[in-house]
Amino acid sequence: MRRSIALLAIACLALLPVVGSAQAIWKWKDANGTLQVSDTPPPTSVPDSAIISRPGGRVAEIVVGGSAEAPASTPSRSDSALEARKREQQAGQKAADAARAAATKERDQARREENCRQARQQQANLDSGMRMARLNDKGEREYLDDSARAAEAERVRQRIQQACN
């Protein structure tokens, strides 16, 4: 047991230099081109392009005049390209909606024309005087008498008014 505690203590002591070296290290070139290494950030007079490495790879914020200023928001090329793409999609969507509406209107018009044609054909059959029959609930054929023929003629006239106007 004492031996394992001693080994653990030796291992901890061996790791101390490694833990101590994990401090924040800054590297930059000064105005004379000399490499500077420090655990503190470089002076504000050192340009950002002269900084070689930062602790943790973070970008340092440079404070000028005692306050950090956010850069003015200017639209970049990618923003304007996104806006253009968005406008194109909206225009494409409007065109697709218009095409769907036109197709729906065309189908509705074709249905009305077909209904009108069928109603006029029924009217012509009724006016011809030929015998007309219907199937009843049992599937048997029933011929129309004069009153049923008149009722059918009235129903067809109403259908023509709805479909053909």
Side-chain angles (χ1 to χ4, degrees), residues 31-162:
N32 298 328
T34 308
L35 179 65
Q36 301 290 324
V37 179
S38 175
D39 60 347
T40 60
T44 57
S45 61
V46 175
D48 199 35
S49 60
I51 299 174
I52 297 170
S53 71
R54 295 176 170 88
R58 290 178 286 134
V59 176
E61 292 182 21
I62 299 175
V63 177
V64 178
S67 67
E69 296 181 20
S73 67
T74 57
S76 65
R77 288 184 192 168
S78 63
D79 289 344
S80 61
L82 287 174
E83 288 297 322
R85 211 174 302 138
K86 189 175 181 180
R87 283 191 299 272
E88 282 179 20
Q89 287 176 345
Q90 288 174 345
Q93 184 66 32
K94 285 180 183 179
D97 290 344
R100 274 193 296 274
T104 301
K105 186 176 180 180
E106 191 175 304
R107 275 194 310 270
D108 290 346
Q109 181 64 30
R111 282 187 201 132
R112 278 193 297 275
E113 289 174 0
E114 179 61 21
N115 287 341
C116 181
R117 186 190 66 72
Q118 288 176 356
R120 289 182 193 263
Q121 181 63 44
Q122 284 179 327
Q123 182 70 42
N125 290 341
L126 285 168
D127 292 343
S128 72
M130 68 179 184
R131 286 180 71 181
M132 297 192 80
R134 259 189 215 160
L135 297 177
N136 64 12
D137 295 339
K138 298 177 185 176
E140 299 169 341
R141 187 177 293 207
E142 292 180 345
Y143 289 98
L144 300 179
D145 59 1
D146 289 338
S147 64
R149 192 178 193 92
E152 183 67 20
E154 181 59 33
R155 190 180 69 78
V156 169
R157 272 191 282 281
Q158 289 175 358
R159 188 171 165 205
I160 287 173
Q161 281 180 343
Q162 290 174 351

